[in-house]
Amino acid sequence: MSDINLLWILISSFLVFLMQFGFSLIETGTVRTKNTINVAMKNLIDTVFCILFFWLIGFGLMFGSDKFGLFGVDSFLIDGSDLEENAIFLFQSMFAATSITIISGAVAERIKFNGYVVVAIIVTALIYPIFGHWAWNENGWLNQLGFVDFAGSTVVHSIGAWIGLAGTIILGPRLGKFKNGEVKYFAPSNHNFIVFGVFMLFFAWFGFNAGSLLRFDIQVTSILMNTLIAAVMGGASAWFISLLFKRRLEVELLSFGIIAGLVGITAGCNSLTLYQSAFVGFVSTIVMFLSDQFLAKKMKIDDPLSAISVHGFAGTWGTIAVGIFAKPLEGMTRMDFLSIQILGTLCAFGFAFLSGLILFLILYKLNLLRVKKRYEVLGLNRSEHNARLPWVETIESIIGIMKTGNVQKKVYEERDTEVGVVARFFNILLDNLRAQNTKLSKSNKTLHQKAYFDTLTKALNRGGLFEELNKKFSNKRYSLAIIDIDKFKTINDTYGHDIGDIVLKELSNLISGKIRSDDLFARWGGEEFVLILKTRDLTIAQSICEKLRIEVENYGFSKVKRVTVSIGVSNFKLQKQSFNDIFKNADKALYDAKNSGRNRVHVF
């Protein structure tokens, strides 16, 4: 290997490694805020275990000496002494990491973190390298047949997507994704991150495709041009789709359209013409869009990042397109070539999907697959990593206060941060609400006092009496007494209305202090008062009223020497009688007491 070729492979390896960063940005931006840390951690941890287990097992299975055209039997745990092999390992380990990251997007927002680690290990150590051996090892059975996938539309992208498809089926959709036959849209946490991630992938893909040549010569320019044009045609296709099917161009559609164009051209970027590459990129986005709609709306498969459509279906199309447009291998007809390409994509689907089903079913049986519902609702940032985002915490606190209406709480204020400023001003708002609440409570008390209490005597008024009657005596188990001040007109005429008001207040205070706690006392109007006694026995009621009459007669009023009252008492004789019926009866008894000489208690 010449120095320039070695340098090109190393530079390409570094570029492909940046794809992990690009995928992290896209995935973090696409999921909801409560899961952003979790998906970022998944992208980091799968890089760790992917490279580790690809070094331990995967690289040997994929590129070791062939056995039966199925797997390699050496080059496990390489020691780094073969300097050229080191370069190949660096480059290929980045491809392995890309494949597992695709799965991360498909199963996002509901898979257990440690369960995902197991998936990353098994895929990198076994599933990906075994199919990679079939297609890319010079003695692999698919390679021997003439299957062509230059940089991995199927080997890398579709394999990851079909495993992800198995995962989404076993995991099931996110909570609330499909409701009443509708597909609910979960808004991304950060659209800018999605766009930034696509720029990063776009840049890194030049190393992904052109680096797969494993040498630096003039053909690199053709690969780079094909990659570039296919990507922009994928983006243009997304724009046309938005004109036909959408009211406006969505961030996700344009972003994923560009990636679909890149995935589609990856298989044939070294063998297609520029015009063919443009066509492949354009159609890749259409394939991505239609398959994504089918999976979500018809199959009810929840793929948060459309990874299955972008990498699986677009990758399959790109691989088959090689059989349609590229020059067949020597001694092979067009139909032979196309058949082999289709066979390769079908084998990739069957092997990856079935392996994925087995893997995810085992994880399901071991309870290592899906997080609990309450953790999914809470968010995997907290449930899986105990990581909190200040903005999310503050918003959740605000929502909690708004839902409960408990303005006595406060939102935590993080000092010297933007979110802390928001929390501080919200707390100021809460302080103002509490102050207004206090004023409102006082105002309500005042209104209640005016609505249900007599302003002069402070006793219940008619409205207050009926309110309390409905609360305490709805069963009609009471007696009613009407208390009337004798010769009250004479008091007003002799002493004046001001003195009359004093008499009314003193009488009200006197009787209110003498009645039982279960009884009700109210001013009915003028010099008349009503007493509700918690007893249906008229003998007891008459006795109580007689004691009150004597108390009034013997009381020393401040402005008038002597005041007496006449009282009429009645109760319910029949269940069908109403308050008005017994009030009329008590009024008749009062009339009799007045006619009998006043200062008496009469019962009806």
Side-chain angles (χ1 to χ4, degrees):
M1 183 182 296
S2 66
D3 290 345
I4 189 65
N5 290 339
L6 175 62
L7 179 62
W8 177 239
I9 292 172
L10 294 179
I11 291 174
S12 297
S13 300
F14 303 149
L15 286 173
V16 178
F17 186 72
L18 286 177
M19 293 180 76
Q20 291 298 102
F21 180 45
F23 281 124
S24 297
L25 283 173
I26 293 172
E27 193 171 346
T28 302
T30 305
V31 300
R32 290 165 290 179
T33 305
K34 63 182 179 179
N35 299 310
T36 52
I37 296 172
N38 173 255
V39 298
M41 286 291 290
K42 283 197 305 175
N43 278 272
L44 184 60
I45 199 71
D46 68 36
T47 302
V48 171
F49 283 102
C50 170
I51 294 175
L52 176 60
F53 279 85
F54 193 69
W55 174 53
L56 293 173
I57 303 171
F59 184 72
L61 284 177
M62 194 166 182
F63 295 104
S65 300
D66 174 72
K67 193 72 171 179
F68 311 121
L70 298 175
F71 51 83
V73 294
D74 55 25
S75 296
F76 302 108
L77 196 65
I78 59 173
D79 60 8
S81 58
D82 187 332
L83 303 185
E84 291 188 0
E85 186 180 49
N86 290 347
I88 301 299
F89 174 82
L90 284 171
F91 187 65
Q92 290 298 336
S93 64
M94 299 302 108
F95 276 54
T98 298
S99 186
I100 185 62
T101 302
I102 294 166
I103 302 171
S104 172
V107 300
E109 297 199 292
R110 71 265 205 211
I111 192 172
K112 289 183 176 179
F113 187 78
N114 289 329
Y116 176 74
V117 171
V118 174
V119 172
I121 291 172
I122 298 301
V123 171
T124 308
L126 299 173
I127 301 174
Y128 167 75
I130 287 176
F131 185 82
H133 182 89
W134 298 352
W136 280 353
N137 190 290
E138 61 182 359
N139 294 311
W141 71 272
L142 272 177
N143 190 296
Q144 288 291 305
L145 285 176
F147 177 72
V148 175
D149 182 8
F150 178 70
S153 288
T154 291
V155 175
V156 178
H157 295 277
S158 291
I159 288 293
W162 302 142
I163 297 171
L165 174 61
T168 60
I169 293 172
I170 303 301
L171 271 169
R174 292 167 290 175
L175 295 176
K177 180 63 178 178
F178 303 108
K179 196 170 184 180
N180 301 323
E182 297 293 326
V183 181
K184 185 177 180 182
Y185 175 68
F186 291 156
S189 61
N190 194 317
H191 290 87
N192 290 334
F193 276 12
I194 299 174
V195 174
F196 298 157
V198 171
F199 272 120
M200 183 57 66
L201 285 183
F202 203 155
F203 175 66
W205 222 287
F206 292 126
F208 194 91
N209 284 356
S212 295
L213 190 61
L214 299 181
R215 65 178 187 275
F216 188 74
D217 61 28
I218 197 66
Q219 191 180 353
V220 166
T221 62
S222 175
I223 296 172
L224 292 175
M225 278 293 291
N226 289 344
T227 301
L228 175 66
I229 297 304
V232 297
M233 285 299 288
S237 180
W239 180 73
F240 280 114
I241 290 172
S242 71
L243 292 179
L244 295 174
F245 300 102
K246 304 282 185 177
R247 288 182 298 174
R248 57 187 64 87
L249 181 58
E250 298 170 353
V251 173
E252 298 99 305
L253 177 58
L254 177 60
S255 300
F256 296 162
I258 293 171
I259 299 173
L262 289 165
V263 171
I265 196 56
T266 295
C269 58
N270 72 319
S271 56
L272 300 181
T273 67
L274 193 58
Y275 297 147
Q276 291 168 345
S277 299
F279 179 77
V280 168
F282 191 87
V283 174
S284 292
T285 299
I286 297 174
V287 170
M288 178 273 294
F289 176 75
L290 294 177
S291 61
D292 191 51
Q293 296 293 304
F294 175 76
L295 290 175
K297 294 182 178 180
K298 300 297 183 182
M299 302 298 293
K300 304 300 181 186
I301 290 175
D302 181 17
D303 179 4
L305 275 86
S306 300
I308 300 164
S309 300
V310 172
H311 300 275
F313 285 92
T316 298
W317 151 247
T319 306
I320 293 174
V322 173
I324 298 173
F325 297 114
K327 182 180 179 180
L329 300 179
E330 188 175 347
M332 188 181 294
T333 66
R334 172 67 61 188
M335 189 54 65
D336 291 337
F337 190 27
L338 180 59
S339 298
I340 291 171
Q341 292 300 104
I342 294 173
L343 174 65
T345 59
L346 290 176
C347 288
F349 174 79
F351 176 67
F353 183 69
L354 290 176
S355 300
L357 283 179
I358 294 169
L359 173 59
F360 281 103
L361 281 171
I362 292 172
L363 291 175
Y364 174 78
K365 293 294 184 181
L366 296 175
N367 196 29
L368 285 173
L369 193 59
R370 183 157 186 158
V371 298
K372 294 180 179 178
K373 287 184 178 180
R374 67 176 183 273
Y375 293 153
E376 187 175 341
V377 172
L378 181 65
L380 305 192
N381 292 347
R382 290 178 63 178
S383 63
E384 292 288 288
H385 310 289
N386 197 30
R388 305 187 178 205
L389 293 171
W391 272 109
V392 177
E393 293 289 311
T394 300
I395 291 170
E396 287 178 348
S397 298
I398 291 172
I399 291 173
I401 291 171
M402 291 172 67
K403 282 184 176 180
T404 61
N406 185 3
V407 297
Q408 301 303 319
K409 290 184 177 181
K410 276 197 168 188
V411 178
Y412 172 72
E413 299 177 17
E414 187 176 358
R415 297 181 62 184
D416 302 323
T417 63
E418 292 177 342
V419 70
V421 172
V422 172
R424 179 158 56 85
F425 279 102
F426 186 76
N427 285 332
I428 292 172
L429 176 61
L430 289 179
D431 290 338
N432 292 335
L433 285 174
R434 281 190 288 270
Q436 293 298 321
N437 228 12
T438 303
K439 289 181 181 178
L440 188 59
S441 297
K442 291 179 180 178
S443 176
N444 285 341
K445 287 180 181 178
T446 303
L447 290 172
H448 184 269
Q449 196 78 16
K450 290 179 179 179
Y452 294 116
F453 289 87
D454 180 62
T455 55
L456 176 65
T457 63
K458 307 306 180 187
L460 290 169
N461 60 19
R462 290 191 190 190
L465 176 64
F466 287 124
E467 180 78 12
E468 293 299 318
L469 270 177
N470 290 332
K471 289 181 182 177
K472 298 181 178 180
F473 298 102
S474 59
N475 56 6
K476 299 183 178 181
R477 301 181 64 85
Y478 63 87
S479 299
L480 184 148
I482 301 175
I483 304 171
D484 186 82
I485 301 175
D486 295 330
K487 297 182 179 180
F488 187 68
K489 185 177 183 302
T490 303
I491 295 173
N492 277 335
D493 292 344
T494 304
Y495 299 99
H497 288 284
D498 290 343
I499 300 301
D501 289 346
I502 292 173
V503 171
L504 288 171
K505 286 193 285 188
E506 290 181 349
L507 177 69
S508 176
N509 291 336
L510 173 63
I511 296 177
S512 296
K514 297 297 181 181
I515 63 174
R516 300 171 302 179
S517 59
D518 290 334
D519 298 333
L520 296 176
F521 178 68
R523 185 184 180 192
W524 192 253
E527 68 273 19
E528 276 190 346
F529 295 86
V530 171
L531 178 62
I532 303 297
L533 299 164
K534 191 177 181 181
T535 178
R536 295 183 66 179
D537 191 324
L538 282 177
T539 304
I540 295 174
Q542 184 178 13
S543 174
I544 293 171
C545 290
E546 183 62 30
K547 290 178 181 178
L548 289 174
R549 184 195 66 76
I550 295 170
E551 288 282 352
V552 173
E553 184 180 17
N554 296 330
Y555 184 73
F557 288 82
S558 62
K559 303 297 182 181
V560 179
K561 291 182 179 180
R562 186 171 181 267
V563 175
T564 61
V565 294
S566 297
I567 304 174
V569 186
S570 184
N571 68 351
F572 288 94
K573 305 294 190 285
L574 300 171
Q575 185 63 30
K576 65 179 182 179
Q577 285 182 305
S578 66
F579 175 87
N580 288 335
D581 293 331
I582 65 166
F583 185 87
K584 289 177 182 178
N585 293 337
D587 196 43
K588 290 176 182 177
L590 175 63
Y591 182 77
D592 292 341
K594 293 283 189 181
N595 285 341
S596 300
R598 297 186 176 86
N599 193 23
R600 299 176 189 279
V601 177
H602 275 222
V603 176
F604 181 87

